[in-house]
Amino acid sequence: YFMNNTDPRIKINNFQGLSSQRKHGDFSRDVWYTYNEGGSIEFTFIGTGFDIMGEKHNQTADLNVYVDGAADPITLTPSQGEQGYRYARSLGKVDGLEYGEHNVRIDVDVTGGKFIEFDGVMVHGQNFTFVDDIDPAILYTSNWQSFGNRNDNLGEYGATLKYNDSADESTIEYTFTGTGIDAMFTISPDSSGVRAYIDDQLDKEVDISALSGGGTIRNTIGYSVDGLTYGQHTIKLEKI
């Protein structure tokens, strides 16, 4: 599951500010940023690890990660080998922890004029899986087209997406095992709506274009469901 930077479970210390209504592909269109020394991030999660998400470039600050009060940090250097700006990217990960509750503090090292734009935390659990649009387990009806080799700086996973500009009510289906699922979109004022079905039952209709704020936004959760009985479920999204 994903915790956005504004999630109340995340505590931001000594950052300069929150940048909102961005149109770069950030999750929920916002990031916390700082050039200040002494900035830190604290959070508690249940799982086996996490990715620190943010904007990645050659001036991204180093991150010293302390898990469960450890004396020595895990040091992440997300700027290494970077050239341009890439949005909604992993700045580094910690994984392989015993499943359970963990406390994390991340000290931000801005030495040398570096800075950070912090987007959120992607938590790894026993059953967390990200499924890209090109995964063969996703079933598409007619008129879906692939948009591959996208500019990697746009922030879309794998630099690919599927799109459909036809007039028919085409569908996407995916069967998963778990208790919930998020469907992520690149959205704009021209996006169509979707009907979302869970196990052949209509859950809700979503006006995707209303989430755009008048611009094009990437990596946006357009539909989400949670609290299902653990087991196998099928989501169907119908273009309307």
Side-chain angles (χ1 to χ4, degrees):
Y1 60 93
F2 179 70
M3 293 193 294
N4 194 49
N5 58 81
T6 56
D7 191 296
R9 292 170 291 184
I10 298 178
K11 183 181 179 183
I12 306 292
N13 304 306
N14 198 33
F15 272 50
Q16 287 176 266
L18 176 67
S19 177
S20 303
Q21 302 300 312
R22 288 160 57 95
K23 298 179 181 180
H24 302 304
D26 314 292
F27 291 97
S28 299
R29 302 178 63 193
D30 55 20
V31 294
W32 274 95
Y33 66 92
T34 190
Y35 298 80
N36 290 342
E37 294 183 3
S40 65
I41 302 161
E42 298 176 63
F43 60 91
T44 298
F45 74 96
I46 296 175
T48 60
F50 56 91
D51 279 83
I52 304 163
M53 307 298 294
E55 185 177 329
K56 197 172 186 182
H57 46 76
N58 61 11
Q59 288 297 307
T60 302
D62 293 349
L63 305 172
N64 295 311
V65 183
Y66 298 84
V67 179
D68 296 330
D72 297 319
I74 300 167
T75 298
L76 305 174
T77 55
S79 64
Q80 189 171 4
E82 288 297 315
Q83 300 296 325
Y85 284 74
R86 299 194 294 160
Y87 303 95
R89 286 296 190 269
S90 174
L91 305 182
K93 69 172 61 180
V94 173
D95 213 348
L97 304 175
E98 182 178 350
Y99 181 81
E101 184 174 276
H102 299 280
N103 299 305
V104 178
R105 189 184 86 240
I106 303 169
D107 290 345
V108 179
D109 183 356
V110 298
T111 302
K114 292 183 177 181
F115 62 99
I116 186 172
E117 292 181 321
F118 169 64
D119 207 350
V121 178
M122 188 70 77
V123 175
H124 309 165
Q126 290 178 311
N127 295 297
F128 171 80
T129 305
F130 180 81
V131 183
D132 200 7
D133 61 277
I134 59 175
D135 193 296
I138 301 177
L139 304 179
Y140 298 90
T141 57
S142 60
N143 296 318
W144 290 95
Q145 301 180 63
S146 295
F147 204 154
N149 297 317
R150 305 263 290 173
N151 184 343
D152 193 41
N153 294 343
L154 294 176
E156 292 153 348
Y157 285 99
T160 66
L161 55 78
K162 288 282 198 304
Y163 71 96
N164 189 328
D165 56 6
S166 68
D168 69 344
E169 296 181 343
S170 302
T171 62
I172 304 167
E173 287 193 35
Y174 177 69
T175 298
F176 65 96
T177 299
T179 60
I181 192 167
D182 296 327
M184 303 189 71
F185 298 81
T186 290
I187 64 175
S188 74
D190 297 324
S191 296
S192 66
V194 296
R195 293 189 188 99
Y197 297 82
I198 297 294
D199 300 329
D200 293 324
Q201 299 295 313
L202 177 64
D203 183 38
K204 66 174 65 173
E205 292 189 2
V206 182
D207 181 2
I208 299 297
S209 65
L211 305 175
S212 70
T216 298
I217 311 169
R218 298 168 178 86
N219 285 336
T220 296
I221 296 174
Y223 169 75
S224 182
V225 63
D226 205 355
L228 304 175
T229 300
Y230 181 82
Q232 188 174 88
H233 301 279
T234 298
I235 180 176
K236 180 172 75 173
L237 299 175
E238 182 180 60
K239 175 180 172 289
I240 56 176

